[in-house]
Amino acid sequence: MNALTRILNSPVGRKVTMAVSGLLLLGFLVAHLTGNMLILVSKETFNHYGHTLISNPMIYLAEAGLLGLFVMHFTTGLYLTRKNRAARPQAYERNERAGYASRKTLASTTMIFSGLVVLVFVPLHIWGFKFGAYYESAEPGVRDLHRLVIETFQQPAWVIWYVAVMTIVGFHLWHGFGSGFESLGLSYRKGLRRFGQFLAVVIAGGFLLIPVLIYMIGDKL
Amino acid sequence: MSEMTFNLRVWRQANSESSGRLVDYTAERISEHMSFLEMLDIVNDKIILEGDDPIAYDFDCREGICGSCGIVINGVPHGPNPGTTSCQLFMRHFKADETITIEPWRAKSFPLIKDLVVDRSSFDRIIATGGYISCNTGAAPEANNTPIPKDIADEAFDAAACIGCGACVAACKNASAVLFVGAKLQHLALMPQGQAERDRRALRMVDQMEAEGFGACSNEGECEAVCPKEISTKHIARLNRDYMRAAVKQALRP
């Protein structure tokens, strides 16, 4: 146990914790987005999908795992940020980007802020949908989550909030994916970073497309 | 030969206890062929003639290989040119009448001594924990007895080019030293001679880096961009791998 604490509490171990939890959470986002896309198929498909998910007893294990990863990611992130700031007590009077080989971007310098937005967003999101209004569908025992989603995204305020947060998530992933692989010592290659940026656009774009589509043509879905 | 004038804003601080501030100076009659440090010498000559305390800054070889010089010029360590130390940066890279801001490396682990001079002995203490090969290797062997592929030899040499100037720490938003430690680990870890102590070296040097108060890596690559020897961040990825491998091996040891 002592050796494990030592590994996790080392400067490399903390970054590995960030990378592993972050990349697994990104994997969850891919699954979540794929599920969401079913709303574009049909009302029944979407509601059945939701019903299948929550009626499987393994869901509690999966939820506990996700919560664990989420807590691990943000507590380590907050701790690292505090420590990193302490490493430079006095700021530069003038600080510029070096250019050339540097990959510093708006995304990479704002990871803690984009992360904090997600930290606020996730509880609100779960409260709004998972613990939101319960409508019974035509089939007894099956929740009509479709109706709740459509009702929510016909309110412009929710659409704006979701579009804004998903854009910020995209920024977080833009740097996070490639950075995670570098922290794991698996790859420092340009191609993998580019793939991460592509993934960030696809995931953020996919998530924000749904509220926008519902707002525009919700009555047809 | 054209002569130029520059407006300097230089960080002046008497010692680590006192508070510092940017002081304005005018650098007059500067040749475009002068190095950045020669320009500072001209300014200092004038300050000394006026009976004031000259600007303190570090230098030794002035040919870009010792790692002594290091100042943040216009917000970038070692100034605007890639692969260049402050002493090898020439005034032709600046526009006449430009305002140039000059600051020291800023990091908790590099305490300020005076003006632009910082104490980089934290780097020495990291090296002292394992940045060497301590096993007896006997007399110099015939070089070709140990075959090393050319690409590996090149990569080890690239890492060995680190002069320990500290620009990587100065450029990093977290004041992290992983590029320095990565280079100092990998120039040995890539070689057969470095294998015997590879794990111990990685564990000790990374632990000492943490003890010295350097930050963690955010994988932004600012360090590589300012490094006068253009050392690649691939050595950071390798440091992570080596450290985790060594730590897991140590944890599993019966």
Side-chain angles (χ1 to χ4, degrees):
Chain A
M1 199 60 207
N2 227 349
L4 184 70
T5 347
R6 198 194 134 173
I7 295 173
L8 292 177
N9 206 24
S10 68
V12 177
R14 288 185 210 116
K15 291 304 294 189
V16 167
T17 307
M18 286 308 279
V20 170
S21 55
L23 290 171
L24 288 174
L25 286 168
L26 189 143
F28 164 71
L29 285 186
V30 174
H32 189 351
L33 177 61
T34 317
N36 285 5
M37 285 300 177
L38 294 177
I39 204 162
L40 305 177
V41 179
S42 77
K43 182 178 172 158
E44 287 71 29
T45 320
F46 185 71
N47 283 340
H48 273 148
Y49 163 70
H51 184 74
T52 316
L53 266 190
I54 56 155
S55 50
N56 188 331
M58 293 296 276
I59 191 72
Y60 296 107
L61 195 68
E63 282 174 345
L66 276 175
L67 182 69
L69 289 174
F70 191 68
V71 170
M72 213 155 90
H73 196 73
F74 81 75
T75 49
T76 314
L78 287 169
Y79 178 77
L80 276 169
T81 305
R82 229 186 61 186
K83 235 176 130 58
N84 289 342
R85 299 231 162 134
R88 173 163 297 131
Q90 189 167 8
Y92 287 106
E93 297 285 322
R94 183 173 173 193
N95 194 8
E96 304 287 338
R97 286 182 195 171
Y100 304 108
S102 177
R103 282 108 56 190
K104 194 172 188 169
T105 57
L106 179 64
S108 75
T109 49
T110 55
M111 291 300 274
I112 185 66
F113 303 112
S114 49
L116 285 172
V117 170
V118 177
L119 184 59
V120 173
F121 167 80
V122 168
L124 288 174
H125 175 63
I126 294 173
W127 173 72
F129 286 110
K130 188 173 174 63
F131 300 110
Y134 187 93
Y135 300 118
E136 191 85 10
S137 74
E139 277 178 83
V142 176
R143 184 183 179 188
D144 193 357
L145 195 61
H146 181 269
R147 186 176 152 193
L148 178 63
V149 173
I150 302 284
E151 280 181 1
T152 305
F153 292 130
Q154 277 174 344
Q155 301 166 47
W158 280 118
V159 178
I160 292 167
W161 164 244
Y162 269 78
V163 168
V165 173
M166 289 310 121
T167 310
I168 291 166
V169 168
F171 270 90
H172 200 78
L173 301 180
W174 182 271
H175 177 70
F177 184 84
S179 179
F181 277 94
E182 285 186 65
S183 293
L184 292 174
L186 291 177
S187 178
Y188 45 84
R189 284 178 182 80
K190 206 176 178 174
L192 199 79
R193 279 201 300 275
R194 289 273 174 274
F195 177 70
Q197 291 161 356
F198 167 76
L199 213 58
V201 172
V202 170
I203 292 176
F207 274 118
L208 69 82
L209 188 72
I210 292 166
V212 171
L213 270 181
I214 292 174
Y215 184 67
M216 292 191 314
I217 54 158
D219 45 347
K220 294 192 192 79
L221 286 173
Chain B
M1 189 182 81
S2 65
E3 286 184 345
M4 298 189 282
T5 301
F6 297 99
N7 305 308
L8 307 184
R9 298 165 71 220
V10 186
W11 187 263
R12 301 303 307 266
Q13 186 171 340
N15 53 55
S16 56
E17 275 81 46
S18 62
S19 65
R21 65 191 180 94
L22 287 173
V23 178
D24 292 334
Y25 295 96
T26 312
E28 288 164 317
R29 305 195 61 194
I30 302 299
S31 154
E32 60 177 352
H33 303 302
M34 280 179 186
S35 75
F36 200 84
L37 299 190
E38 283 165 340
M39 183 274 294
L40 283 180
D41 292 336
I42 302 276
V43 175
N44 270 345
D45 283 349
K46 199 175 144 203
I47 295 175
I48 291 166
L49 282 174
E50 286 165 356
D52 287 331
D53 194 22
I55 302 160
Y57 65 90
D58 258 331
F59 68 89
D60 189 11
C61 75
R62 295 211 182 204
E63 52 188 11
I65 55 164
C66 77
S68 295
C69 66
I71 36 186
V72 177
I73 301 161
N74 283 343
V76 178
H78 289 309
N81 271 26
T84 310
T85 52
S86 303
C87 66
Q88 287 292 299
L89 178 68
F90 293 90
M91 296 316 293
R92 57 178 166 272
H93 297 301
F94 296 88
K95 286 194 275 299
D97 305 313
E98 189 179 338
T99 298
I100 305 174
T101 309
I102 305 171
E103 292 176 79
W105 286 174
R106 294 196 191 278
K108 191 179 90 182
S109 315
F110 288 164
L112 191 134
I113 298 171
K114 189 183 178 184
D115 298 340
L116 306 173
V117 182
V118 296
D119 178 1
R120 284 168 285 190
S121 46
S122 50
F123 269 12
D124 299 336
R125 289 189 291 272
I126 292 173
I127 295 288
T129 60
Y132 44 78
I133 290 171
S134 62
C135 40
N136 292 333
T137 52
E142 153 62 31
N144 294 333
N145 279 356
T146 313
I148 298 165
K150 170 78 171 129
D151 53 338
I152 302 287
D154 284 349
E155 290 211 31
F157 189 81
D158 288 347
C162 171
I163 52 177
C165 66
C168 44
V169 174
C172 176
K173 74 178 164 85
N174 307 332
S176 175
V178 278
L179 188 64
F180 167 76
V181 179
K184 293 302 176 193
L185 283 174
Q186 293 311 314
H187 76 117
L188 299 175
L190 287 162
M191 292 284 111
Q193 295 88 338
Q195 300 311 310
E197 293 162 300
R198 184 175 180 173
D199 291 350
R200 192 172 80 183
R201 185 184 303 118
L203 291 173
R204 286 186 180 176
M205 287 177 76
V206 171
D207 288 347
Q208 184 63 29
M209 174 183 84
E210 167 84 348
E212 295 289 347
F214 291 103
C217 179
S218 286
N219 300 312
E220 288 187 319
E222 283 279 297
C223 50
E224 181 180 339
V226 300
C227 177
K229 301 300 159 190
E230 299 177 300
I231 292 171
S232 164
T233 48
K234 73 168 75 161
H235 296 299
I236 298 176
R238 285 182 171 147
L239 171 147
N240 292 336
R241 213 181 323 176
D242 272 17
Y243 184 88
M244 287 313 281
R245 200 183 67 150
V248 169
K249 266 163 82 175
Q250 196 191 43
L252 297 179
R253 191 174 298 156

